[in-house]
Amino acid sequence: MIRKVKGTRDILPPETRLWNEVERTALRVFEGFGYSEIRLPLLEPTELFVRTVGEGTDIVSKEMYTFADRKGRSLTLRPEGTASVARAFIENGLGQRPRPMRLSYFGPMFRYERMQRGRYRQFSQIGIEILGAATPAADVEVILALHTFLAELGFDDLVIVLNNLGDPEDRDRFITGLKAELAPHREEFCGDCQRRWNENPLRILDCKVPRCRELVSETTPVAEVVSHDAKEHVAAVEAALDAVAIPVRRAPRLVRGLDYYLRTVFEVISPELGEDTVICGGGRYDRLISDLGGAAVPGVGFAIGEDRLVDVLPQSFRDRVFEARVVTVLPVGDGGVAAAAALARDLVRAGVTVHTEVTGRSLKASLKWSGKMAASVAVILGETELAEGVAVIRDLARGEQETVSLDRVVAKVTEMVRGGN
Ligand code: HAM
């Protein structure tokens, strides 16, 4: 037997219905806030991620699916979406359009990570980005859109944490101070942090090794050394979120695992998955597009890990998606086949979900199958009934049935299903 690649998943029905409804809700909410979908390639030049996410990050240094194509070009299966959005923004001249540009995306990303619950090598993200607005109002909008989406799904226990990374100049100053504070303990850090010390010291704050965490826990928070402007920016974001009753908590050592961020960074934590398996990450990246050779276009956005989100969906959402609303159409004998096909078409067009019996079962077996499909109504098309221009509609929950003329079947069934049978 051929098995799936380690770290990839088969998402099976009925679970896929949860994914579909999450995506529909995302599109509805984000479109509501003015975000339009952008569809981007899964393959990008490797250099795109090296220059944006950063050479010294875990993502670029050890997690990318990178390979040479047949012409020897280095390609990478995208590990995230923001770099591609920035590339597409520049390449398609989106800067010519009215600002800001509000974009949304969803789809698979690839990172060669150690497998565990909520951590896969192919996973899906749902994200939005707003490009061309440097104001705190833009940060507020994306966090508001995120909060609205999560509330629409029925979440009430997720925590938004936020930090201020300052501007790149502040960060240089912060890193000098951080290294001075940690220098006496340098030998105690893990092997990865020894490497990070020279290559990308900020990432030491991201290390998951308990001893490293302990060592950094007393260091001066980055938000304390940032410029006045950066402080005002994030304070304005926090004040506005407070004013619209969106609770956010400061996380003084949150730095995020990608190099392009500045000022506002945030994550969403679920109590069930814990702080190492965050549901969503985002932040501001005002230099990303210019670093890629574009104009000075600021940006802010986030990406939600859909696999993790679906894993912890509230029961109320699951119940709503899986609510039984299926109708089975059961032809009895060959004579019922054409009538069943036509009825199925009419029911589908009336918005009803139909499963038609097509395996040639007996009526008894068909009714048993209807039960397994969690159908609430079965329409039986017997040859004798059809000859009389009628069908039998059976309410499977109540075990009652009635005979209805064929031209009234769609109206009757629709009424029964809508009535919550
Ligand atoms: P990120 O924090 O690297 O940010 O990823 C965003 C989310 O993707 C994470 O919070 C997590 O839920 C999910 N995720 C990441 N890796 C995995 C994995 N191996 N398995 C399952 N889920 C995973 C970014 O990617 C940024 N581009 C977000 C952003 C958009 N910032 C600004 N705009």
Side-chain angles (χ1 to χ4, degrees):
M1 183 175 54
I2 298 175
R3 293 181 182 278
K4 62 183 176 294
V5 172
K6 189 171 173 188
T8 65
R9 321 172 63 194
D10 298 318
I11 300 164
L12 309 174
E15 180 86 357
T16 39
R17 285 167 61 187
L18 294 173
W19 289 67
N20 292 149
E21 189 55 26
V22 162
E23 287 161 15
R24 271 195 287 269
T25 308
L27 270 179
R28 175 168 59 74
V29 172
F30 297 145
E31 262 175 18
F33 279 96
Y35 290 75
S36 304
E37 197 195 354
I38 182 166
R39 297 196 181 198
L40 298 164
L42 271 55
L43 272 179
E44 294 278 6
T46 303
E47 193 197 349
L48 175 65
F49 304 109
V50 174
R51 280 180 50 188
T52 56
V53 175
E55 211 152 2
T57 60
D58 281 358
I59 296 178
V60 170
S61 66
K62 49 186 188 189
E63 293 172 0
M64 292 208 302
Y65 279 90
T66 296
F67 57 93
D69 74 2
R70 289 174 186 278
K71 289 266 166 61
R73 287 171 287 233
S74 182
L75 303 183
T76 292
L77 284 172
R78 63 178 186 187
E80 62 108 45
T82 312
S84 302
V85 168
R87 181 208 40 76
F89 185 89
I90 300 169
E91 192 168 345
N92 297 290
L94 298 184
Q96 308 304 316
R97 300 197 189 182
R99 289 190 190 184
M101 184 91 216
R102 292 181 165 97
L103 298 169
S104 66
Y105 53 90
F106 50 97
M109 310 288 163
F110 303 83
R111 296 183 193 175
Y112 196 92
E113 291 206 71
R114 198 193 300 269
M115 279 274 297
Q116 60 187 66
R117 178 179 177 192
R119 182 152 294 140
Y120 309 101
R121 292 183 177 170
Q122 177 178 331
F123 59 96
S124 286
Q125 285 187 348
I126 302 175
I128 65 172
E129 315 284 355
I130 177 165
L131 300 155
T135 58
D139 311 39
V140 172
E141 178 180 289
V142 294
I143 295 174
L144 182 67
L146 170 64
H147 186 267
T148 308
F149 169 60
L150 295 172
E152 282 289 291
L153 300 181
F155 282 106
D156 59 8
D157 62 345
L158 300 180
V159 180
I160 304 177
V161 293
L162 173 147
N163 199 15
N164 185 354
L165 283 189
D167 293 316
E169 304 74 38
D170 301 327
R171 210 146 347 118
D172 293 344
R173 200 155 16 92
F174 168 70
I175 286 168
T176 310
L178 180 72
K179 280 177 136 180
E181 286 181 63
L182 294 177
H185 304 284
R186 184 165 172 189
E187 303 309 317
E188 296 170 54
F189 281 97
C190 72
D192 275 342
C193 284
Q194 300 295 340
R195 180 177 53 79
R196 289 172 184 138
W197 189 276
N198 293 322
E199 284 177 12
N200 198 341
L202 196 66
R203 299 273 80 84
I204 293 175
L205 293 179
D206 243 359
C207 187
K208 306 284 181 266
V209 174
R211 180 63 187 147
C212 300
R213 275 195 177 175
E214 211 177 298
L215 289 170
V216 301
S217 65
E218 299 294 318
T219 53
T220 308
V222 56
E224 283 182 18
V225 305
V226 306
S227 70
H228 177 72
D229 282 359
K231 275 187 184 153
E232 295 240 297
H233 181 103
V234 177
V237 174
E238 287 172 315
L241 290 172
D242 189 48
V244 288
I246 295 181
V248 292
R249 208 174 65 199
R250 269 283 176 134
R253 282 177 191 79
L254 174 67
V255 290
R256 308 268 304 119
L258 305 93
D259 281 353
Y260 49 64
Y261 292 117
L262 47 78
R263 300 196 174 192
T264 320
V265 286
F266 55 93
E267 288 186 342
V268 176
I269 294 164
S270 113
E272 197 179 332
L273 293 175
E275 298 198 0
D276 292 337
T277 314
V278 299
I279 297 280
C280 169
R284 178 164 276 286
Y285 48 86
D286 294 351
R287 313 266 173 104
L288 176 60
I289 291 182
S290 54
D291 284 349
L292 279 175
V297 178
V300 53
F302 63 77
I304 297 165
E306 195 175 357
D307 304 71
R308 296 178 185 180
L309 185 77
V310 169
D311 191 17
V312 296
L313 280 170
Q315 194 56 45
S316 56
F317 182 88
R318 290 173 184 273
D319 290 346
R320 179 154 61 82
V321 170
F322 291 136
E323 217 172 49
R325 287 197 169 269
V326 173
V327 172
T328 54
V329 175
L330 312 177
V332 184
D334 293 342
V337 170
L343 176 61
R345 175 196 58 203
D346 295 345
L347 285 170
V348 168
R349 294 185 78 174
V352 176
T353 304
V354 178
H355 292 237
T356 304
E357 205 308 295
V358 292
T359 66
R361 288 185 178 92
S362 68
L363 178 59
K364 192 169 164 220
S366 294
L367 286 168
K368 207 167 152 196
W369 169 76
S370 301
K372 286 187 190 158
M373 293 291 103
S376 50
V377 176
V379 184
I380 303 161
L381 300 169
E383 280 174 358
T384 334
E385 285 90 354
L386 284 173
E388 291 167 16
V390 297
V392 173
I393 298 179
R394 191 171 169 89
D395 181 329
L396 294 165
R398 296 206 177 92
E400 293 163 2
Q401 63 183 45
E402 63 179 296
T403 303
V404 173
S405 81
L406 278 177
D407 57 1
R408 284 198 50 242
V409 171
V410 172
K412 176 72 189 165
V413 169
T414 312
E415 181 196 310
M416 288 170 79
V417 172
R418 298 271 150 76
N421 269 309

